[in-house]
Amino acid sequence: MSFVKDIFVAVIGFIAFGIFGLCLICYYPFCVLKKFEENYVRKEFYNLSKFVMTVVKFISKSFVVEFKEKNTDGPCVVVANHSSILDIVVFSSVNFKDAVFLSKGWPTRIPLMNKYLKAAGNVIFDENTSFEELCSLVKKAFDKNLKVIVFPEGTRSEDGTVKRFHKGAFLIAQKLGVPVLPVCVKGLDKTIKKNSVIVRSCDVKITVMNKIVVPNEEQVLDITRKTRQLIAEEMAKQSGEGINITKLMLHRPPMLLVDKVLEVDGDFARTSFEIKPDNIFLDKNNVLKRSAQIEIMAQALAASNAFDSKQKNKPTQKGFLVMLKNITFFADAKCGDILECHINIVDFIAQTHIAQGKLFNQTGTLLCEGEIRIYCFD
């Protein structure tokens, strides 16, 4: 019975996308040659996209749209994780009629597509477009009271994992004085996987999160990471957990001192660990030995390396701690604490990762910081 349902879903999905594609192809000459107004072209694309999303809702196990942000009116930069070709039409489901895309790459190189995107008022740019020119193009959209949708990962994720966010969208928001509106899209990566045309039935949830203001250029990178973190945590919350550490690490209990990977963003990573009563590093006063604080930072670095290897389809490297530098302890951790470790990889020399680590408890108190070095080998 499940096989029959899968075939039914695939056929219905194929027909829906066939209709979508044919309508676009037939509509190209009219919108380009007749020079329809932007609003009219956007309205037609919205209606066509809404048809596709109606089909997706029909074949999905569940389809939920949640608004945490109550006021979505007015110009803003909408940033969302990018996991499926369906992402370009998903916003019809959250009623973003007054929105255009920031577009670069293959969609702008398809014959007639470039003109079609421009006819709809989308912001088109290429490698030769300066940042000032790009801001000017985006401002024209804001002057029309439109939102601008950006996928800051730059490419679709193959497994639904939220990848590193580029900071360009956040720089634009700061320069033009508009807020960022994060949107978490979960489940569409399984509906249509990257490099596949087969449609599957999956649970889908779209969460429109609260707006974030970027007050100055100095905070752009921090807010870029914060926004990615919020979307990744929303994804993890819906899944019931962060990235499963046991599938990444070579360590095993009772030596495993990382529970979850909360975030991996380029050279930055965050992990968490709950100190339970059976922890072998607790002393007679239920205080975690300070040597274990260092080991937690070392394992956080190992976890981020393992995650990076997984993303690149490479085997997890083995390694061992070879050096500590400028380690400073500020406070102790005790049984019941949930510790969060922040790791910044600053260099990689002679098979050795050099990283700055910081360890916090659940109240945000800094427990320990310093430099660690791990030698890696196959």
Side-chain angles (χ1 to χ4, degrees):
M1 195 64 183
S2 177
F3 176 74
V4 173
K5 182 180 178 181
D6 290 343
I7 294 296
F8 173 76
V9 168
V11 170
I12 292 295
F14 184 80
I15 292 173
F17 284 104
I19 293 173
F20 180 81
L22 286 173
C23 288
L24 283 181
I25 292 171
C26 295
Y27 193 59
Y28 282 160
F30 291 100
C31 72
V32 174
L33 299 177
K34 294 290 185 179
K35 296 182 179 179
F36 291 151
E37 292 184 0
E38 288 181 4
N39 288 342
Y40 181 81
V41 178
R42 278 198 301 273
K43 180 181 177 182
E44 291 302 307
F45 184 78
Y46 170 83
N47 290 333
L48 190 56
S49 298
K50 196 166 185 179
F51 158 73
V52 173
M53 294 313 297
T54 300
V55 174
V56 172
K57 289 179 183 179
F58 173 71
I59 63 178
S60 296
K61 295 177 182 177
S62 66
F63 194 103
V64 179
V65 179
E66 177 186 3
F67 281 87
K68 294 185 177 180
E69 176 60 68
K70 303 303 180 184
N71 180 19
T72 60
D73 296 332
C76 62
V77 176
V78 180
V79 297
N81 56 303
H82 195 18
S83 60
S84 170
I85 195 171
L86 283 173
D87 292 337
I88 63 174
V89 297
V90 70
F91 293 95
S92 64
S93 299
V94 293
N95 294 321
F96 282 173
K97 297 180 182 180
D98 55 344
V100 293
F101 289 91
L102 189 68
S103 187
K104 173 189 175 184
W106 65 267
T108 65
R109 294 192 290 268
I110 298 175
L112 287 180
M113 178 65 90
N114 184 288
K115 292 183 179 180
Y116 179 76
L117 291 171
K118 287 183 178 179
N122 293 285
V123 181
I124 310 299
F125 72 106
D126 57 31
E127 293 78 6
N128 298 319
T129 306
S130 68
F131 179 72
E132 289 72 21
E133 291 172 332
L134 182 57
C135 285
S136 178
L137 293 172
V138 173
K139 187 177 184 303
K140 290 179 181 178
F142 289 155
D143 290 342
K144 299 172 187 175
N145 205 34
L146 298 173
K147 300 175 181 63
V148 175
I149 301 169
V150 185
F151 300 114
E153 291 167 286
T155 185
R156 282 175 286 160
S157 172
E158 293 184 359
D159 59 1
T161 303
V162 184
K163 297 183 180 297
R164 179 184 182 185
F165 276 14
H166 298 285
K167 65 180 181 180
F170 301 85
L171 275 171
I172 292 172
Q174 188 277 322
K175 185 174 179 63
L176 298 181
V178 300
V180 170
L181 180 62
V183 178
C184 176
V185 183
K186 181 174 175 59
L188 288 181
D189 60 298
K190 296 181 177 64
T191 303
I192 299 183
K193 294 185 177 181
K194 188 173 181 179
N195 301 320
S196 175
V197 295
I198 299 175
V199 181
R200 296 174 174 83
S201 178
C202 299
D203 293 317
V204 177
K205 184 174 182 181
I206 301 164
T207 306
V208 181
M209 308 176 80
N210 293 317
K211 290 178 180 176
I212 299 174
V213 175
V214 189
N216 53 61
E217 191 170 339
E218 288 71 27
Q219 295 188 42
V220 165
L221 183 58
D222 286 341
I223 291 178
T224 301
R225 286 176 170 171
K226 176 185 176 182
T227 305
R228 183 206 167 278
Q229 173 186 332
L230 288 172
I231 292 176
E233 287 180 349
E234 182 66 26
M235 295 273 283
K237 176 183 175 182
Q238 295 173 26
S239 300
E241 59 178 24
I243 300 167
N244 191 337
I245 194 65
T246 59
K247 294 182 179 180
L248 298 180
M249 297 285 283
L250 299 175
H251 298 77
R252 289 293 179 267
M255 291 301 299
L256 182 61
L257 298 180
V258 179
D259 291 333
K260 297 177 182 177
V261 178
L262 301 175
E263 176 182 5
V264 177
D265 182 7
D267 293 331
F268 176 77
R270 293 188 307 121
T271 64
S272 69
F273 176 66
E274 181 180 357
I275 306 174
K276 296 180 180 179
D278 60 350
N279 191 290
I280 63 173
F281 295 99
L282 289 173
D283 64 18
K284 61 182 180 181
N285 297 315
N286 277 335
V287 174
L288 190 73
K289 295 178 181 178
R290 290 189 166 180
S291 58
Q293 292 189 23
I294 296 173
E295 179 62 20
I296 289 172
M297 291 196 295
Q299 289 193 25
L301 176 55
S304 65
N305 290 341
F307 179 84
D308 184 61
S309 297
K310 179 178 180 294
Q311 291 294 97
K312 297 176 181 177
N313 294 317
K314 295 181 178 179
T316 301
Q317 286 185 310
K318 298 178 182 179
F320 54 87
L321 186 64
V322 294
M323 182 180 291
L324 302 172
K325 186 177 180 181
N326 299 327
I327 298 293
T328 305
F329 295 98
F330 301 97
D332 288 319
K334 61 183 183 302
C335 181
D337 284 349
I338 299 176
L339 308 185
E340 184 169 305
C341 184
H342 295 189
I343 290 289
N344 275 294
I345 300 175
V346 296
D347 211 342
F348 182 69
I349 303 173
Q351 292 293 109
T352 302
H353 285 282
I354 303 172
Q356 292 290 335
K358 292 185 178 182
L359 190 65
F360 304 85
N361 65 15
Q362 66 271 21
T363 66
T365 301
L366 179 62
L367 306 178
C368 173
E369 68 176 352
E371 181 181 290
I372 58 175
R373 301 189 181 193
I374 292 182
Y375 177 78
C376 298
F377 58 95
D378 295 328

